[in-house]
Amino acid sequence: MLHPVSIYCVLSTLLCMWALCNTQSDSSTPAIQLRLAGEKKKPHEGRVEVLYNGEWGTVCDDDFSIYAARVVCRELGFVDAESWSPSAKYGRGEGQIWLDNVHCSGGEKSLAQCESNGFGVSDCKHSEDVGVVCNRKRIPGFKFIWNQANSEQGLTVQVEDVRIRATYSHRKRVPITEGFLEVKDGGRWRQICNEEWTEMNSRVICGMHGFPGEKRFNTRPYKLLAKRRKKNYWGFSVNCTGNEANLSDCKLGREIELKGNSTCGKGMPVVVSCVPGRAFAPSVSIGFRKAYRVEQPLVRLKGGAMIGEGRVEVLKNGEWGTVCDDSWNIQAATVVCRELGFGSAKEALTSARLGQGIGPVHMNEVECSGFEKSLTECRFNRDALGCSHEEDAAVICNVPAMGFHNRLRLNGGRNPYEGRVEVLAERNGSLVWGTVCSDSWGTMEAMVVCRQLGLGFASHAFQETWYWQGDSSADALVMSGVRCSGTELTLDQCLHHGKYIHCAKGGGRFAAGVSCTRTAPDLVLSAQVVEQTSYLEDRPMYALQCAQEENCLSSSADKTDSSSYRRLLRFSSQIHNNGLADFRPRAAQHSWIWHECHRHYHSMEVFTHYDLLSLNGTKVAEGHKASFCLEDTHCDEGIQKTYECVNFGAQGITVGCWDTYRHDIDCQWIDITDVKPGDYILRVVINPNYEVAESDYTNNIMKCRCRYDGQRIWTYNCRTGGSMSSEAEEMFPGLLTNQLSHSKIRF
């Protein structure tokens, strides 16, 4: 005989189940459940399937809209929809097509409330099954219907949030690498019982929090803490294989009967301990990190605005190359991320989403289990025939929460991407907001600000911000003398003055400012074209008057007469824009400088810089090239030219196009009249003063070996910066970085 209390519990449970099944619907709306299913699905995307009258069916794409997708996503517990896909993108479903010609306003609480032909009334085929992509973020407090996806795929973990909660003694450490694991469900943080917890589960938790792996820890203090703490366990176990990118990709385990603290009778709350990557190791170990010799990596990321994202490049036979996106997936992307000291991958990007690389395509059809130590251990097809750089693979990795964005802000701008830079600094024992001196403030410093705030690349660096109304309480200068290399994660990692602020300009209207952008150009000089077109020409001074006026000759030319000759090393420059945004001169069109002798406008006074160096790096001759006509000379197939210089037209280089400065135009040379025969290095640098922000400056520099016998010159072994291994580039000192001064170069 059942006890009355037991009967009451059973009735309560049945009532709750009935309420859940009728969640977000009223009495006049048919009770349905939704799930996302299909091929290549993730927990937040897939084919829309509806449970009606005990049978799962699909939805036709006729008249479906983003408003209907929003209703679907919210009914599933996601905050919103990102997109929807027609024509069975996630594969064809089976059984009934329950809904057709669905019309939603977006405000409905259930898909069943939207107008349609009625349940089961459809003239569609399963080739028209609709799919949706939801925002990953969960609705706070949303109660999930746990039996809604009793499908062949099994139910994945569905919670609002996941965190590692550090003990009180470790709360101030950044990043938090160890602590009790808590999940947020129904608006409350809960622990998970560790009775069925595995190392693979911990590996996934560490990965999603930006750490490459898990490690062992001392359980004793956590047992003592757990005894004293009030527990609130989550009602399920978790089954991860270890190569999931997120806990939401793991399968939900068995349901655990909740009986207060006795829920986990043989265990305690789960504790996770993670190993941080070298770039994020706690600050106490900085002194030790310097003792390590950094080994040449086999894999790197290029072209990304934020740390932990970029185009994937692999080193093979001393040369860097890219990875073709055929079969590129989240497992392979996660191997790359963990190898580089980040967590699991957020996204595996295809189609050169983070810009096109240069050089060979080293890997194709990569297949990883997810547990490889390096991408080079994965199976792949060495034959990359048919793969172009338009198919370069990229990744976005999970990185630890460092709180960098909380120590910096932009104020007064027209949008969140621009404004006066205000930093949080310690003054007289308290933290105050203040401004930054704009002396020497430039693109590199602006790049670091935009990265720290998670706003992408810098588009402009401002040395005057009087037109932006910042926070008046933050007018005081708190930082000066800032100089960045561009690779720093925060502004305070850059060189800057200490306690004693010195600012010749003063603050106020001269405080530093930035504007940021999600995409940037990437100029790359063709080394092959330079090598193939270089030659010597002896040219009389009377034919070089305009070039001399523009400082394109060596200083000794000032003392020679018009009948003498200058010996010029000439070559062509073919400059590609491989980035994701057009390259535009920083100066506005009205401020370009007219040069009467050549009869053209200069949009950038120093666009490229040419040097001839001795083998030990000493400069023996130099030249420079103003951007007198920056335009689209040629473009890749299917891309329209945008920039043309004639009739004072707009100057720039479109993405996928290139500008060619031919060898036979003025200033496209180095004056080597005073150079003695011998072996030299030819160096070409584009955008040498970093006037325009780019996604990658290392490929702006190119070097060649030269042999000059007094009459002829041989140019060979031309290399673009960053294209070779560090060992191969030892013959070219300084090739890896563009180390020219920020200040304008004088001749």
Side-chain angles (χ1 to χ4, degrees):
M1 180 176 175
L2 281 172
H3 194 275
V5 175
S6 301
I7 295 171
Y8 175 78
C9 289
V10 170
L11 288 172
S12 297
T13 303
L14 290 171
L15 189 61
C16 288
M17 288 299 295
W18 177 85
L20 284 172
C21 290
N22 288 277
T23 294
Q24 300 162 336
S25 65
D26 55 38
S27 57
S28 63
T29 305
I32 64 168
Q33 288 183 25
L34 300 181
R35 70 181 180 190
L36 300 179
E39 300 166 6
K40 298 182 180 178
K41 73 171 285 295
K42 297 174 185 175
H44 64 291
E45 64 176 275
R47 180 176 63 247
V48 179
E49 295 197 348
V50 181
L51 180 65
Y52 178 71
N53 276 352
E55 184 181 350
W56 286 102
T58 63
V59 178
C60 182
D61 59 19
D62 290 351
D63 295 338
F64 202 85
S65 67
I66 190 65
Y67 301 109
R70 285 174 177 169
V71 173
V72 168
C73 290
R74 284 199 294 268
E75 192 168 359
L76 288 167
F78 300 98
V79 295
D80 204 355
E82 291 186 356
S83 63
W84 63 278
S85 304
S87 307
K89 177 187 174 182
Y90 296 97
R92 300 183 183 193
E94 296 178 349
Q96 292 271 7
I97 297 175
W98 279 127
L99 293 170
D100 187 10
N101 297 112
V102 177
H103 291 269
C104 301
S105 67
E108 294 86 355
K109 292 183 178 180
S110 170
L111 194 64
Q113 292 177 347
C114 298
E115 290 183 18
S116 69
N117 294 349
F119 281 89
V121 181
S122 170
D123 59 358
C124 296
K125 299 178 181 177
H126 282 297
S127 58
E128 299 170 83
D129 286 343
V130 78
V132 299
V133 178
C134 302
N135 186 305
R136 276 181 177 269
K137 197 172 180 183
R138 291 288 188 177
I139 297 171
F142 185 88
K143 278 290 184 184
F144 301 102
I145 303 169
W146 295 110
N147 65 345
Q148 70 181 7
N150 291 331
S151 64
E152 69 286 349
Q153 296 170 331
L155 187 65
T156 54
V157 175
Q158 300 181 54
V159 291
E160 294 164 37
D161 204 356
V162 183
R163 72 181 182 188
I164 299 172
R165 188 178 183 190
T167 58
Y168 290 109
S169 59
H170 293 161
R171 287 278 165 88
K172 291 184 178 179
R173 285 193 184 179
V174 176
I176 294 173
T177 59
E178 184 176 298
F180 288 105
L181 175 68
E182 295 186 339
V183 296
K184 195 175 186 181
D185 185 28
R188 297 182 64 187
W189 288 103
R190 305 172 192 273
Q191 303 89 36
I192 298 179
C193 178
N194 73 349
E195 284 180 5
E196 298 179 16
W197 192 259
T198 66
E199 283 187 10
M200 293 298 100
N201 293 351
S202 293
R203 174 181 164 88
V204 172
I205 297 297
C206 290
M208 66 183 286
H209 283 93
F211 305 114
E214 76 290 347
K215 65 182 177 69
R216 296 189 177 185
F217 57 93
N218 183 1
T219 59
R220 190 178 175 190
Y222 289 103
K223 283 181 179 177
L224 294 172
L225 270 173
K227 284 180 181 177
R228 295 200 297 266
R229 287 178 59 180
K230 184 180 178 182
K231 300 173 200 60
N232 180 20
Y233 283 108
W234 192 53
F236 298 88
S237 62
V238 174
N239 295 326
C240 302
T241 63
N243 66 0
E244 294 90 349
N246 194 287
L247 184 65
S248 61
D249 299 322
C250 296
K251 292 289 189 287
L252 196 69
R254 69 179 181 87
E255 188 169 0
I256 296 169
E257 191 176 355
L258 297 176
K259 293 182 179 178
N261 287 352
S262 63
T263 299
C264 195
K266 298 178 182 177
M268 57 178 269
V270 166
V271 175
V272 174
S273 183
C274 307
V275 182
R278 288 170 59 85
F280 305 102
S283 54
V284 290
S285 65
I286 283 176
F288 297 99
R289 284 205 321 236
K290 290 178 180 175
Y292 289 104
R293 178 177 176 268
V294 179
E295 296 294 328
Q296 172 78 24
L298 294 176
V299 178
R300 70 183 183 185
L301 302 182
K302 300 289 277 187
M306 314 308 301
I307 187 167
E309 68 177 44
R311 178 178 59 253
V312 180
E313 296 190 352
V314 184
L315 187 64
K316 178 184 176 185
N317 297 331
E319 186 174 13
W320 287 99
T322 61
V323 178
C324 188
D325 63 11
D326 292 350
S327 304
W328 187 247
N329 60 19
I330 202 77
Q331 275 80 24
T334 291
V335 170
V336 169
C337 291
R338 291 187 190 271
E339 178 180 1
L340 294 174
F342 307 115
S344 50
K346 276 186 186 176
E347 287 187 75
L349 302 176
T350 58
S351 305
R353 285 265 303 278
L354 293 181
Q356 295 186 24
I358 57 174
V361 179
H362 281 326
M363 301 176 80
N364 185 23
E365 297 173 355
V366 179
E367 292 181 16
C368 303
S369 69
F371 292 96
E372 293 85 355
K373 297 291 186 202
S374 170
L375 186 71
T376 57
E377 296 176 9
C378 298
R379 296 177 60 186
F380 65 95
N381 185 349
R382 297 173 189 274
D383 180 7
L385 288 175
C387 280
S388 69
H389 286 300
E390 293 176 357
E391 300 169 85
D392 284 345
V395 298
I396 298 177
C397 305
N398 284 309
V399 296
M402 303 295 289
F404 292 151
H405 61 285
N406 298 322
R407 304 186 334 228
L408 196 69
R409 69 188 184 191
L410 302 183
N411 231 322
R414 295 161 296 181
N415 57 61
Y417 285 80
E418 68 177 20
R420 184 177 79 174
V421 178
E422 296 176 0
V423 298
L424 193 62
E426 188 175 334
R427 288 292 177 269
N428 301 321
S430 60
L431 290 173
V432 296
W433 286 99
T435 56
V436 180
C437 177
S438 65
D439 285 350
S440 77
W441 186 260
T443 302
M444 287 303 186
E445 291 72 35
M447 283 286 223
V448 175
V449 168
C450 294
R451 178 183 299 119
Q452 185 174 348
L453 290 171
L455 298 178
F457 302 99
S459 57
H460 288 93
F462 300 98
Q463 294 191 342
E464 291 186 22
T465 52
W466 54 268
Y467 37 78
W468 284 333
Q469 189 62 48
D471 188 334
S472 58
S473 66
D475 283 345
L477 276 171
V478 296
M479 184 179 278
S480 63
V482 182
R483 294 298 297 268
C484 304
S485 68
T487 59
E488 297 87 352
L489 299 182
T490 65
L491 199 62
D492 56 11
Q493 288 179 359
C494 301
L495 291 172
H496 63 278
H497 296 152
K499 293 181 181 178
Y500 303 102
I501 306 300
H502 174 72
C503 188
K505 288 182 176 179
R509 60 178 290 178
F510 294 108
V514 301
S515 66
C516 306
T517 178
R518 286 294 180 191
T519 56
D522 181 20
L523 298 189
V524 183
L525 181 71
S526 170
Q528 185 180 21
V529 170
V530 172
E531 188 170 323
Q532 291 173 349
T533 58
S534 57
Y535 64 97
L536 293 180
E537 182 194 11
D538 291 336
R539 194 168 179 83
M541 275 298 298
Y542 65 77
L544 294 169
Q545 290 177 358
C546 290
Q548 188 174 17
E549 181 187 293
E550 293 190 11
N551 295 325
C552 295
L553 300 175
S554 295
S555 56
S556 63
D558 297 338
K559 303 167 187 174
T560 60
D561 58 62
S562 60
S563 61
S564 62
Y565 282 75
R566 306 301 295 179
R567 177 156 289 179
L568 308 174
L569 168 55
R570 310 196 70 145
F571 50 87
S572 296
S573 293
Q574 189 180 98
I575 300 161
H576 294 243
N577 182 0
N578 284 0
L580 298 174
D582 293 355
F583 184 94
R584 298 294 308 275
R586 187 175 66 176
Q589 199 160 350
H590 69 271
S591 62
W592 294 352
I593 299 170
W594 174 257
H595 283 257
E596 182 64 32
C597 194
H598 276 136
R599 299 197 61 77
H600 57 227
Y601 284 96
H602 285 188
S603 56
M604 293 172 68
E605 276 305 302
V606 182
F607 173 59
T608 48
H609 192 270
Y610 311 136
D611 292 310
L612 198 66
L613 311 173
S614 66
L615 295 185
N616 66 8
T618 305
K619 189 187 297 185
V620 297
E622 64 185 13
H624 85 287
K625 189 82 190 66
S627 64
F628 72 83
C629 181
L630 203 59
E631 66 178 358
D632 297 327
T633 310
H634 296 285
C635 296
D636 290 332
E637 189 177 347
I639 295 177
Q640 195 75 27
K641 292 181 182 180
T642 307
Y643 303 102
E644 193 173 12
C645 296
V646 296
N647 300 323
F648 194 33
Q651 292 193 26
I653 307 176
T654 305
V655 175
C657 299
W658 57 95
D659 185 13
T660 302
Y661 283 101
R662 285 174 51 88
H663 56 82
D664 54 0
I665 63 175
D666 263 10
C667 298
Q668 188 61 39
W669 63 56
I670 297 177
D671 182 354
I672 64 166
T673 306
D674 306 318
V675 175
K676 296 176 182 178
D679 288 319
Y680 297 97
I681 295 172
L682 166 64
R683 180 176 67 182
V684 179
V685 186
I686 315 165
N687 192 17
N689 297 336
Y690 313 116
E691 279 190 53
V692 179
E694 298 185 46
S695 60
D696 185 4
Y697 285 107
T698 59
N699 56 23
N700 281 27
I701 192 167
M702 184 225 68
K703 291 190 179 182
C704 305
R705 296 296 295 265
C706 290
R707 173 160 290 180
Y708 175 47
D709 68 357
Q711 298 299 323
R712 295 167 297 175
I713 196 160
W714 291 267
T715 306
Y716 60 98
N717 227 347
C718 292
R719 297 280 187 252
T720 303
S723 63
M724 305 298 290
S725 69
S726 56
E727 291 83 1
E729 287 176 341
E730 284 176 1
M731 59 185 286
F732 293 135
L735 182 60
L736 286 173
T737 52
N738 177 356
Q739 295 292 355
L740 293 184
S741 168
H742 286 239
S743 58
K744 188 166 287 187
I745 299 166
R746 297 185 62 83
F747 301 92

